Amino acid sequence: MGHAPFSLPKGRLEEGFEDKRPRYSDGEAVTEANRCIYCVDAPCINACPTSIDIPTFIHKIATGNVKGAARTIFDANLLGQSCARVCPVEVLCVGDCVYNHWGREPIQIGRLQRYATERALELDRDLIKKNKRATKSGKKVACIGSGPASLAAAGYLSLMGHEAVVFEKRAVPGGLNTTGIAPYKMDAQGSVDELNWILELGDIEVRTGVEITASDDGDGQVSAATLLQDFDAVFVGIGLGADSALELPDEAGAGVYGAVELIEQLKLDPQASLQGVTRAVVVGGGNTAIDIAHELAILGVPEVYMAYRRGFERLSAYDHEIEWGRTDGVRVRVNAVPTGYQRNPDGSLKGIVLADAEDGKAKAGTDKLMECQLVAVAIGQARLTGLAKVFAGVELDAKGRIVVDDATCRTGHAQVFAGGDCVNGGKEVVNAVEHGKRAARAMDAMFSK
Amino acid sequence: MADLTIDFCGIKSPNPFWLASAPPANSGKQVQRAFEAGWGGAVWKTLGNPIVNVSSRFGALDYGSTRVMGFNNIELITDRPLEVNLKEMAETKKLYPKHTLVASLMVETKEEWKEIIKKVEDVGSDAIELNFGCPHGMCERGMGSAVGQEPKVLKEITGWVKDFASIPVIVKLTPNVGDIVEPALAGVYGGADSLSLINTIKSIIGVDLDNFVPYPNVGNASSNGGYCGPAVKPIALHFLGQIARHTHINVPISGIGGISNWRDAAEFIALGSTSVQVCTAVMHHGYRIVEDMIEGLSDYLDSQGMSSVMELVGKAVPQYKDWGDLDLNHHTVAEIDEDKCIGCQLCYVACMDGAHQCIHIPGRSKEESFKAGHEYMPDHVPDRPVTAKGGTPGARIPFVHEAECVGCNLCSLVCPVPDCISMVEKRRGPDPETWNDRIRKGTDFVPGGLDATKRAHPKMSG
């Protein structure tokens, strides 16, 4: 069931983005690799959610064994290419490198991983496919959603001799890796290229424009019951729902966007434009907030503010992302809480009303209009609780996250596994990949019983 | 995927990677862990009558930020009771019957050789390696390199061993000789089934300048030790090449000396080794390095279209020649890649002070160039600013005066940028001509030398 590679429309804004951390040349990679002291029981491995054997792959780069380096990475993380670029390495592997405590520059693990994976696949695109299990099991798994969790599950299942069908509601596959990554880290093409490479492993089909429903099997729909009947197991990797809104008067209308929605538009819609925007305000203090703020600044919006209702110490965005954004012009306003919007007579956005805040709450009488042409609301995303619940036995916790067994990612339904943002409430790509890998291994064990 | 199994004197080994007789192969637990990690064989730490060791024992040579580029030790053979080693060897062979287990031996008298050979054969050893190489301590007692340096003695003892042994015998050679071929031939004529080399090189690793005691310090004194590690690889490759190309030496060779990764191993195999032995790299990084060695060698063989590692054995031997057989008409000149040069001028200073003054810095007058040390000037030195990414702003790309370049490689060796300086072939003549060709033709005379030599040369004096 091979299919033509997926592609993206041309003329997207992000195509003009400079690669902020370009791939190492061979010489640069070997030099950096030789700085690594090849620790044993290395903290970088423990810091990696997919437990990549980092010192080993770096040692292999140092010896010129770049294909071996890539095998080490892909064994632990099939999406090693995109993780090399989108992982917050500063708080994961690089942040735990022994050099940090020693007062030396930590090893640039993300950049080495990018070099190893990209270079090795240039040398041999079928590198991983060659190790695919020869015997086919005849088992079929449905993966709901086509983000990193589902792709990792489908890819590892394929390598273990099983079949996977990936159902994607949108026209473009790849989930947040395609629609939601700050373009200065990786553009959507990078995500689609990686997805196409995973599809080449074989026995994976992606069906876009298909919605999973509780009971309807209409056009473009497949019901949960049908999935359970037609497939030996189901992996739920549906991510999160729509951006949460501030629920303030005049919010609906031109100029006010959910952050994830706006990032997607800027990445994928060739018609997207920021013309006329001289000031933008991003509401929120998390990593999605700094991502969109940083992106708007790079795209040339003269003034970009992040407005956060609490103090600096409570910002949940990573420090390194805030610092990076600031160097590109992002300004951060803390203890500022939105209390309303103002619109011009023609309905266009005039600005957002911000009040001074104490402990996150607006202080009476401090409302002030901040004129702007664009507001991005980055205060979280809804949970897709309805979709999760279509499978009997699947339970949700109080925060709407699907409850799974940690080691296997199995839900309360023996046939149904889940992973990624819908399980952890919204973490990194690498966390989703780990879930997909665990689920695939658990399904493989189940199938071979 | 290429087949890494080797046939070494009839012994099938899962791969060519063996632990050398040294601390990493000191005990059963160690060797078993090594086999689990992927090593194809192990040469047990040398057995003999137990010895007493000193403390400390090791020293290392660091170079720049590279630790343990060279390594030196004054440790002797095994200090464990023979029976303990034999018991563990038997256990190991039983647990890993397909792995290669070689007993390294060092004793003195014929009776001792007879007894110990029987014992190691009884525990299932696949082969015996004769330690005629240890250059410290044991040689003072007439063993180790003391044997390896005396071809007659070496041949005689090899003969004894061959009489007693029913399994293949490997003679391990010492590099502490003038000509490795002599002991190698002595081993072969003594009946050796195989040769292994090199053992360590006699060395003093350094001197503590605070207390004037060489390293490693043993109670305010030290002794010469055996040198090994990455630094000795070129020396080992030379000795290996010497015996691999010898027409009377046609036994399998086990290569040893600074092998740290798959690439080193591939080079040793290409120059005539069938198996390779590793010690220092394991002492530095552990048994785990074998994963990269297996994978890297396998990928390399695939890339060369070779289906078995045995196809690689000796591939480079025919290309190792005497200087007199090299083509004098082969000529190369340095070429600097304008898109890569960062303008550091390291090639310039190396050429000026260490080679033939053919690299010029642009923007100088003729007078300035002569003052800087050039003797010959090109007609024109193009002034090219550095434009490479990462280049030094304002710097100039040095210029190679081709007519003066002798093609020595020095600039390309010191250049810090990979692939920036390449050596481009510009032949001096279409047909090859060697110095030995000139000797045969009687044209082996270069003018400008001594009168006495000129008078003595048949063509010139006639």
Side-chain angles (χ1 to χ4, degrees):
Chain A
M1 40 183 182
H3 42 82
F6 285 96
S7 59
L8 293 170
K10 292 282 160 220
R12 294 166 294 116
L13 269 177
E14 67 169 11
E15 288 172 76
F17 270 74
E18 177 197 13
D19 196 341
K20 288 239 178 191
R21 291 180 184 132
R23 189 174 109 191
Y24 279 144
S25 67
D26 292 344
E28 287 169 335
V30 169
T31 303
E32 182 64 9
N34 274 304
R35 281 207 317 122
C36 173
I37 58 172
Y38 195 19
C39 295
V40 174
D41 205 6
C44 56
I45 305 178
N46 296 328
C48 174
T50 58
S51 309
I52 294 174
D53 187 345
I54 292 162
T56 293
F57 97 67
I58 293 179
H59 174 71
K60 289 177 180 180
I61 293 175
T63 73
N65 176 13
V66 65
K67 289 204 270 186
R71 285 190 198 101
T72 300
I73 295 163
F74 289 133
D75 278 354
N77 184 339
L78 202 55
L79 276 76
Q81 294 170 89
S82 57
C83 285
R85 301 178 62 175
V86 310
C87 256
V89 292
E90 293 84 349
V91 297
L92 296 174
C93 53
V94 175
D96 269 15
C97 174
V98 295
Y99 275 166
N100 291 294
H101 305 286
W102 205 359
R104 303 181 184 191
E105 270 296 298
I107 303 297
Q108 294 301 303
I109 298 166
R111 296 189 70 181
L112 286 170
Q113 179 167 318
R114 179 174 176 191
Y115 165 80
T117 50
E118 292 186 5
R119 184 81 189 97
L121 293 186
E122 278 170 12
L123 293 168
D124 182 1
R125 202 170 156 83
D126 291 337
L127 187 72
I128 299 303
K129 193 179 176 180
K130 280 176 183 157
N131 294 339
K132 188 169 161 146
R133 208 177 277 171
T135 47
K136 297 216 189 284
S137 69
K139 301 288 183 186
K140 265 173 101 166
V141 177
C143 300
I144 311 176
S146 66
S150 280
L151 284 182
Y156 282 117
L157 285 165
S158 155
L159 290 173
M160 292 187 282
H162 314 299
E163 281 181 39
V165 178
V166 180
F167 295 93
E168 171 57 55
K169 187 173 63 180
R170 296 159 187 269
V172 181
L176 272 182
N177 234 8
T178 303
T179 65
I181 302 294
Y184 48 90
K185 294 178 188 165
M186 181 178 77
D187 69 12
Q189 193 61 49
S191 165
V192 170
D193 289 346
E194 181 174 64
L195 176 133
N196 286 330
W197 172 75
I198 290 173
L199 295 185
E200 286 171 21
L201 298 175
D203 304 313
I204 305 171
E205 185 189 350
V206 178
R207 293 186 200 159
T208 51
V210 181
E211 196 183 0
I212 306 302
T213 64
S215 56
D216 297 334
D217 277 307
D219 201 22
Q221 290 178 321
V222 177
S223 72
T226 306
L227 283 186
L228 289 172
Q229 199 184 331
D230 292 355
F231 293 88
D232 299 285
V234 174
F235 180 81
V236 180
I238 52 180
L240 299 174
D243 292 288
S244 303
L246 288 166
E247 312 288 355
L248 294 170
D250 281 331
E251 188 163 38
V256 181
Y257 301 86
V260 175
E261 170 200 10
L262 180 61
I263 291 174
E264 177 173 349
Q265 265 192 34
L266 294 175
K267 282 178 76 77
L268 296 180
D269 182 0
Q271 313 301 323
S273 159
L274 291 167
Q275 223 164 10
V277 179
T278 57
R279 184 187 283 158
V281 176
V282 176
V283 180
N287 284 307
T288 305
I290 185 62
D291 271 4
I292 183 62
H294 194 173
E295 180 173 350
L296 291 168
I298 293 176
L299 282 171
V301 175
E303 283 183 49
V304 180
Y305 285 91
M306 238 173 100
Y308 177 56
R309 65 196 172 102
R310 294 179 189 274
F312 269 113
E313 70 288 350
R314 297 288 294 271
L315 278 173
S316 62
Y318 299 126
D319 290 346
H320 67 269
E321 295 286 359
I322 298 274
E323 285 313 308
W324 196 8
R326 281 178 152 175
T327 60
D328 281 314
V330 174
R331 302 173 197 191
V332 183
R333 268 197 66 183
V334 291
N335 296 315
V337 65
T339 54
Y341 295 92
Q342 285 192 15
R343 290 193 175 272
N344 296 310
D346 66 353
S348 62
L349 187 67
K350 185 171 184 209
I352 185 166
V353 181
L354 296 172
D356 293 344
E358 204 169 62
D359 201 23
K361 302 265 185 310
K363 282 195 273 189
T366 61
D367 283 359
K368 230 183 253 171
L369 176 71
M370 180 177 254
E371 289 193 19
C372 62
Q373 298 76 38
L374 186 149
V375 169
V377 180
I379 57 167
Q381 289 170 264
R383 312 277 188 249
L384 294 167
T385 52
L387 181 46
K389 279 192 204 148
V390 299
F391 297 98
V394 173
E395 284 178 33
L396 303 175
D397 69 8
K399 290 183 173 171
R401 299 174 298 196
I402 301 175
V403 178
V404 298
D405 170 61
D406 186 52
T408 60
C409 284
R410 192 195 292 252
T411 67
H413 188 300
Q415 233 182 310
V416 180
F417 298 73
D421 285 356
C422 64
V423 166
N424 60 33
K427 284 191 176 176
E428 306 297 340
V429 173
V430 66
N431 301 99
V433 172
E434 177 63 11
H435 281 164
K437 182 176 82 184
R438 285 183 192 183
R441 288 179 180 171
M443 289 183 207
D444 179 60
M446 177 173 87
F447 296 154
S448 56
K449 264 191 192 142
Chain B
M1 216 172 98
D3 180 8
L4 290 189
T5 58
I6 56 164
D7 181 325
F8 189 93
C9 300
I11 304 163
K12 299 268 188 284
S13 189
N15 63 49
F17 302 112
W18 296 356
L19 292 179
S21 176
N26 191 51
S27 70
K29 281 266 161 62
Q30 283 177 288
V31 171
Q32 288 160 28
R33 280 196 288 120
F35 287 170
E36 280 302 311
W39 292 89
V43 186
W44 209 273
K45 174 98 177 163
T46 303
L47 308 177
N49 286 306
I51 50 74
V52 178
N53 268 313
V54 294
S55 171
S56 60
R57 302 173 200 178
F58 304 145
L61 183 71
D62 300 341
Y63 191 78
S65 56
T66 301
R67 295 283 273 165
V68 195
M69 195 187 159
F71 191 79
N72 155 287
N73 85 91
I74 56 170
E75 185 175 287
L76 305 183
I77 63 171
T78 185
D79 54 8
R80 311 162 81 221
L82 184 59
E83 289 313 314
V84 174
N85 278 311
L86 290 170
K87 183 171 156 277
E88 292 179 7
M89 287 169 78
E91 280 168 9
T92 304
K93 191 64 201 174
K94 205 173 162 194
L95 285 168
Y96 298 89
K98 289 184 176 161
H99 287 65
T100 305
L101 187 68
V102 180
S104 170
L105 306 180
M106 190 197 288
V107 288
E108 277 189 273
T109 68
K110 196 170 179 177
E111 286 310 303
E112 287 171 346
W113 281 108
K114 185 178 180 183
E115 182 184 341
I116 201 165
I117 288 165
K118 171 83 171 56
K119 285 183 191 292
V120 298
E121 288 197 348
D122 286 349
V123 297
S125 305
D126 293 298
I128 293 165
E129 185 178 81
L130 309 183
N131 183 341
F132 294 158
C134 180
H136 47 89
M138 302 312 288
C139 56
E140 295 174 19
R141 308 176 194 183
M143 292 183 278
S145 65
V147 176
Q149 287 169 331
E150 292 295 338
K152 271 189 194 157
V153 181
L154 186 157
K155 187 180 162 198
E156 186 182 3
I157 298 179
T158 306
W160 297 345
V161 171
K162 276 302 290 178
D163 284 346
F164 302 137
S166 61
I167 54 178
V169 173
I170 307 165
V171 169
K172 185 168 179 178
L173 299 171
T174 174
N176 300 295
V177 293
D179 180 4
I180 195 75
V181 170
E182 286 180 23
L185 278 175
V188 170
Y189 294 150
D193 301 287
S194 160
L195 300 170
S196 61
L197 81 173
I198 59 174
N199 205 309
T200 53
I201 302 167
K202 211 167 252 209
S203 60
I204 291 176
I205 196 78
V207 176
D208 186 333
L209 288 178
D210 291 328
N211 58 14
F212 306 105
V213 177
Y215 297 109
N217 187 317
V218 182
N220 285 326
S222 190
S223 183
N224 53 275
Y227 192 46
C228 53
V232 311
K233 181 184 136 191
I235 297 163
L237 282 175
H238 163 244
F239 283 129
L240 170 66
Q242 283 276 84
I243 65 169
R245 70 173 182 172
H246 198 282
T247 48
H248 292 161
I249 301 173
N250 296 304
V251 295
I253 304 168
S254 188
I256 314 164
I259 297 165
S260 307
N261 57 52
W262 68 270
R263 187 183 289 272
D264 298 331
E267 290 177 31
F268 271 75
I269 294 168
L271 211 48
S273 300
T274 301
S275 73
V276 292
Q277 298 183 26
V278 180
C279 168
T280 310
V282 169
M283 291 181 72
H284 192 170
H285 295 300
Y287 299 128
R288 59 189 170 141
I289 59 169
V290 78
E291 179 193 334
D292 166 66
M293 297 176 110
I294 291 170
E295 194 176 32
L297 180 63
S298 174
D299 278 346
Y300 166 75
L301 294 169
D302 288 347
S303 74
Q304 292 291 314
M306 295 182 188
S307 59
S308 159
V309 66
M310 295 301 284
E311 288 177 51
L312 179 63
V313 178
K315 270 273 186 196
V317 174
Q319 288 72 250
Y320 167 40
K321 294 180 176 177
D322 284 345
W323 189 95
D325 288 327
L326 299 179
D327 180 10
L328 298 169
N329 283 334
H330 174 76
H331 180 60
T332 60
V333 295
E335 194 174 272
I336 300 170
D337 188 334
E338 292 178 39
D339 297 329
K340 294 195 172 127
C341 174
I342 58 167
C344 69
Q345 318 299 344
L346 284 184
C347 56
Y348 164 79
V349 75
C351 188
M352 284 305 290
D353 296 359
H356 294 80
Q357 300 85 44
C358 74
I359 298 183
H360 295 255
I361 290 183
R364 285 177 171 164
S365 68
K366 270 208 163 148
E367 290 66 35
E368 285 170 328
S369 290
F370 285 131
K371 207 177 163 202
H374 287 290
E375 277 193 66
Y376 304 99
M377 285 297 294
D379 296 335
H380 173 62
V381 177
D383 191 4
R384 301 169 300 178
V386 164
T387 54
K389 205 164 148 267
T392 309
R396 293 299 200 249
I397 299 174
F399 174 72
V400 178
H401 185 194
E402 252 189 57
E404 291 299 315
C405 178
V406 302
C408 70
N409 283 351
L410 181 63
C411 55
S412 72
L413 300 177
V414 301
C415 176
V417 182
D419 305 324
C420 176
I421 301 183
S422 49
M423 304 305 294
V424 183
E425 184 162 1
K426 304 260 161 131
R427 288 192 65 81
R428 289 208 168 96
D431 300 322
E433 189 197 25
T434 69
W435 185 254
N436 289 341
D437 289 337
R438 288 195 189 176
I439 291 176
R440 281 188 283 276
K441 287 187 277 186
T443 56
D444 56 326
F445 182 83
V446 182
L450 301 171
D451 293 336
T453 313
K454 188 177 176 183
R455 280 195 299 274
H457 195 276
K459 277 268 165 90
M460 308 311 290
S461 60

